[in-house]
Short mmCIF file of all heavy atoms in Angstrom, two decimals:
data_model
loop_
_atom_site.label_atom_id
_atom_site.label_comp_id
_atom_site.label_asym_id
_atom_site.label_seq_id
_atom_site.Cartn_x
_atom_site.Cartn_y
_atom_site.Cartn_z
N SER N 1 0.83 -1.27 0.00
CA SER N 1 0.03 0.03 -0.02
C SER N 1 0.83 1.24 -0.01
O SER N 1 0.48 2.25 -0.62
CB SER N 1 -0.98 0.03 1.23
OG SER N 1 -0.19 -0.04 2.46
N ILE N 2 2.06 1.24 0.69
CA ILE N 2 2.89 2.34 0.70
C ILE N 2 3.44 2.62 -0.67
O ILE N 2 3.43 3.75 -1.18
CB ILE N 2 4.06 2.19 1.70
CG1 ILE N 2 3.46 2.10 3.11
CG2 ILE N 2 5.02 3.32 1.67
CD1 ILE N 2 4.51 1.67 4.22
N TRP N 3 3.83 1.53 -1.33
CA TRP N 3 4.41 1.66 -2.69
C TRP N 3 3.38 2.19 -3.58
O TRP N 3 3.68 3.08 -4.42
CB TRP N 3 4.88 0.27 -3.11
CG TRP N 3 5.50 0.25 -4.52
CD1 TRP N 3 6.78 0.53 -4.86
CD2 TRP N 3 4.82 -0.05 -5.72
NE1 TRP N 3 6.95 0.39 -6.24
CE2 TRP N 3 5.71 0.01 -6.78
CE3 TRP N 3 3.53 -0.43 -6.03
CZ2 TRP N 3 5.40 -0.18 -8.11
CZ3 TRP N 3 3.14 -0.74 -7.29
CH2 TRP N 3 4.10 -0.60 -8.33
N ALA N 4 2.10 1.65 -3.56
CA ALA N 4 1.05 2.08 -4.44
C ALA N 4 0.75 3.60 -4.25
O ALA N 4 0.37 4.24 -5.21
CB ALA N 4 -0.19 1.32 -4.21
N THR N 5 0.90 4.09 -3.06
CA THR N 5 0.62 5.52 -2.73
C THR N 5 1.51 6.45 -3.63
O THR N 5 1.13 7.57 -3.98
CB THR N 5 0.76 5.86 -1.34
OG1 THR N 5 -0.07 4.99 -0.52
CG2 THR N 5 0.49 7.33 -1.01
N PHE N 6 2.80 6.01 -3.83
CA PHE N 6 3.73 6.86 -4.46
C PHE N 6 4.21 6.38 -5.83
O PHE N 6 5.22 6.83 -6.40
CB PHE N 6 4.96 7.04 -3.58
CG PHE N 6 4.61 7.70 -2.27
CD1 PHE N 6 4.57 6.96 -1.10
CD2 PHE N 6 4.33 9.04 -2.19
CE1 PHE N 6 4.24 7.53 0.12
CE2 PHE N 6 4.05 9.61 -0.99
CZ PHE N 6 4.00 8.87 0.22
N ALA N 7 3.47 5.39 -6.41
CA ALA N 7 3.96 4.82 -7.66
C ALA N 7 2.73 4.90 -8.69
O ALA N 7 1.58 5.03 -8.36
CB ALA N 7 4.35 3.37 -7.45
N GLY N 8 3.14 4.92 -9.97
CA GLY N 8 2.16 4.87 -11.01
C GLY N 8 1.21 6.04 -10.97
O GLY N 8 1.60 7.19 -10.71
N SER N 9 -0.04 5.81 -11.29
CA SER N 9 -1.06 6.86 -11.42
C SER N 9 -1.40 7.54 -10.04
O SER N 9 -1.93 8.58 -9.93
CB SER N 9 -2.34 6.33 -12.11
OG SER N 9 -2.89 5.27 -11.25
N GLN N 10 -1.00 6.79 -8.95
CA GLN N 10 -1.27 7.29 -7.64
C GLN N 10 -0.25 8.38 -7.23
O GLN N 10 -0.52 9.14 -6.26
CB GLN N 10 -1.26 6.14 -6.61
CG GLN N 10 -2.25 5.03 -6.91
CD GLN N 10 -3.69 5.56 -6.73
OE1 GLN N 10 -3.96 6.27 -5.84
NE2 GLN N 10 -4.54 5.06 -7.58
N ARG N 11 0.86 8.35 -7.90
CA ARG N 11 1.93 9.28 -7.45
C ARG N 11 1.60 10.75 -7.65
O ARG N 11 1.18 11.15 -8.70
CB ARG N 11 3.26 8.97 -8.20
CG ARG N 11 4.42 9.86 -7.81
CD ARG N 11 5.67 9.47 -8.69
NE ARG N 11 5.42 9.62 -10.10
CZ ARG N 11 5.42 10.85 -10.76
NH1 ARG N 11 5.61 11.93 -10.08
NH2 ARG N 11 5.13 10.82 -12.03
N PRO N 12 1.76 11.58 -6.63
CA PRO N 12 1.57 13.00 -6.79
C PRO N 12 2.56 13.63 -7.80
O PRO N 12 3.59 13.08 -7.95
CB PRO N 12 1.81 13.60 -5.39
CG PRO N 12 1.70 12.46 -4.44
CD PRO N 12 2.14 11.26 -5.24
N ASP N 13 2.10 14.66 -8.57
CA ASP N 13 2.98 15.18 -9.57
C ASP N 13 4.13 16.02 -9.14
O ASP N 13 4.85 16.55 -9.92
CB ASP N 13 2.11 15.93 -10.62
CG ASP N 13 1.35 17.10 -10.01
OD1 ASP N 13 1.62 17.38 -8.82
OD2 ASP N 13 0.48 17.67 -10.68
N TRP N 14 4.25 16.12 -7.82
CA TRP N 14 5.42 16.84 -7.28
C TRP N 14 6.42 15.95 -6.62
O TRP N 14 7.35 16.42 -6.02
CB TRP N 14 4.96 17.98 -6.23
CG TRP N 14 3.72 17.61 -5.49
CD1 TRP N 14 2.47 18.09 -5.79
CD2 TRP N 14 3.58 16.78 -4.32
NE1 TRP N 14 1.56 17.57 -4.84
CE2 TRP N 14 2.20 16.79 -3.97
CE3 TRP N 14 4.50 16.05 -3.55
CZ2 TRP N 14 1.77 16.06 -2.84
CZ3 TRP N 14 4.00 15.28 -2.49
CH2 TRP N 14 2.64 15.27 -2.14
N LEU N 15 6.32 14.66 -6.86
CA LEU N 15 7.18 13.63 -6.34
C LEU N 15 7.79 12.80 -7.44
O LEU N 15 7.11 12.46 -8.37
CB LEU N 15 6.60 12.78 -5.27
CG LEU N 15 6.54 13.28 -3.80
CD1 LEU N 15 5.84 12.24 -2.93
CD2 LEU N 15 7.82 13.65 -3.23
N ARG N 16 9.04 12.23 -7.19
CA ARG N 16 9.54 11.24 -8.05
C ARG N 16 10.00 10.15 -7.12
O ARG N 16 10.80 10.28 -6.26
CB ARG N 16 10.77 11.77 -8.85
CG ARG N 16 11.52 10.59 -9.61
CD ARG N 16 12.61 11.19 -10.45
NE ARG N 16 13.70 11.78 -9.66
CZ ARG N 16 14.72 11.09 -9.13
NH1 ARG N 16 14.71 9.76 -9.23
NH2 ARG N 16 15.64 11.68 -8.46
N LEU N 17 9.45 8.95 -7.31
CA LEU N 17 9.83 7.73 -6.49
C LEU N 17 11.23 7.32 -6.95
O LEU N 17 11.41 6.68 -7.93
CB LEU N 17 8.85 6.61 -6.62
CG LEU N 17 9.07 5.38 -5.85
CD1 LEU N 17 9.16 5.75 -4.31
CD2 LEU N 17 7.96 4.35 -6.03
N ASP N 18 12.27 7.67 -6.13
CA ASP N 18 13.65 7.38 -6.42
C ASP N 18 13.97 5.96 -6.24
O ASP N 18 14.76 5.41 -7.03
CB ASP N 18 14.55 8.27 -5.60
CG ASP N 18 15.97 8.16 -5.93
OD1 ASP N 18 16.33 8.59 -7.05
OD2 ASP N 18 16.73 7.57 -5.12
N GLY N 19 13.40 5.30 -5.24
CA GLY N 19 13.72 3.89 -5.04
C GLY N 19 13.16 3.39 -3.73
O GLY N 19 12.78 4.13 -2.87
N VAL N 20 13.06 2.05 -3.64
CA VAL N 20 12.64 1.42 -2.45
C VAL N 20 13.82 0.53 -1.93
O VAL N 20 14.33 -0.27 -2.61
CB VAL N 20 11.44 0.50 -2.64
CG1 VAL N 20 11.01 -0.16 -1.35
CG2 VAL N 20 10.26 1.29 -3.25
N THR N 21 14.28 0.88 -0.68
CA THR N 21 15.41 0.11 -0.09
C THR N 21 14.91 -0.66 1.06
O THR N 21 14.16 -0.18 1.96
CB THR N 21 16.52 1.16 0.40
OG1 THR N 21 16.97 1.90 -0.69
CG2 THR N 21 17.67 0.43 1.05
N CYS N 22 15.23 -1.98 1.10
CA CYS N 22 14.86 -2.87 2.24
C CYS N 22 16.06 -3.28 2.95
O CYS N 22 17.06 -3.76 2.41
CB CYS N 22 14.15 -4.14 1.63
SG CYS N 22 13.64 -5.31 2.91
N VAL N 23 16.08 -3.10 4.37
CA VAL N 23 17.13 -3.47 5.21
C VAL N 23 16.81 -4.78 5.78
O VAL N 23 15.70 -5.06 6.37
CB VAL N 23 17.34 -2.43 6.32
CG1 VAL N 23 18.58 -2.81 7.15
CG2 VAL N 23 17.59 -1.07 5.72
N VAL N 24 17.68 -5.77 5.70
CA VAL N 24 17.44 -7.15 6.17
C VAL N 24 18.51 -7.48 7.28
O VAL N 24 19.63 -7.24 7.16
CB VAL N 24 17.63 -8.14 5.03
CG1 VAL N 24 17.58 -9.64 5.52
CG2 VAL N 24 16.53 -7.90 3.98
N ASP N 25 18.01 -8.09 8.37
CA ASP N 25 18.93 -8.61 9.41
C ASP N 25 19.35 -10.01 8.87
O ASP N 25 18.66 -10.92 9.01
CB ASP N 25 18.11 -8.77 10.73
CG ASP N 25 19.07 -9.29 11.85
OD1 ASP N 25 20.10 -9.84 11.60
OD2 ASP N 25 18.64 -9.08 13.03
N THR N 26 20.56 -10.03 8.31
CA THR N 26 20.99 -11.20 7.69
C THR N 26 21.14 -12.39 8.65
O THR N 26 20.83 -13.55 8.27
CB THR N 26 22.41 -10.96 7.05
OG1 THR N 26 22.36 -9.77 6.30
CG2 THR N 26 22.89 -12.12 6.17
N GLU N 27 21.49 -12.15 9.90
CA GLU N 27 21.68 -13.24 10.88
C GLU N 27 20.32 -13.75 11.34
O GLU N 27 20.23 -14.95 11.58
CB GLU N 27 22.45 -12.67 12.14
CG GLU N 27 22.71 -13.71 13.16
CD GLU N 27 23.22 -13.13 14.43
OE1 GLU N 27 22.97 -11.98 14.77
OE2 GLU N 27 24.04 -13.84 15.16
N GLN N 28 19.26 -12.95 11.41
CA GLN N 28 18.05 -13.35 12.06
C GLN N 28 16.87 -13.55 11.07
O GLN N 28 15.80 -13.75 11.51
CB GLN N 28 17.58 -12.28 13.08
CG GLN N 28 18.61 -12.09 14.19
CD GLN N 28 18.68 -13.23 15.20
OE1 GLN N 28 17.76 -13.98 15.33
NE2 GLN N 28 19.87 -13.40 15.76
N ILE N 29 17.16 -13.39 9.75
CA ILE N 29 16.00 -13.42 8.83
C ILE N 29 15.09 -14.68 8.90
O ILE N 29 13.94 -14.61 8.68
CB ILE N 29 16.49 -13.21 7.36
CG1 ILE N 29 15.32 -12.97 6.41
CG2 ILE N 29 17.43 -14.33 6.89
CD1 ILE N 29 15.73 -12.61 5.05
N PHE N 30 15.76 -15.82 9.28
CA PHE N 30 14.99 -17.02 9.29
C PHE N 30 14.61 -17.48 10.71
O PHE N 30 14.14 -18.59 10.88
CB PHE N 30 15.80 -18.16 8.60
CG PHE N 30 16.02 -17.91 7.06
CD1 PHE N 30 17.27 -17.93 6.58
CD2 PHE N 30 14.99 -17.69 6.23
CE1 PHE N 30 17.57 -17.69 5.28
CE2 PHE N 30 15.19 -17.40 4.88
CZ PHE N 30 16.53 -17.46 4.37
#
């Protein structure tokens, strides 16, 4: 839902979605 708010036709015309970065705890992911 967060991505949809700022992507495609939903994106306000004063913003550019530069990217989505995900931080992962490599040791604890599983």
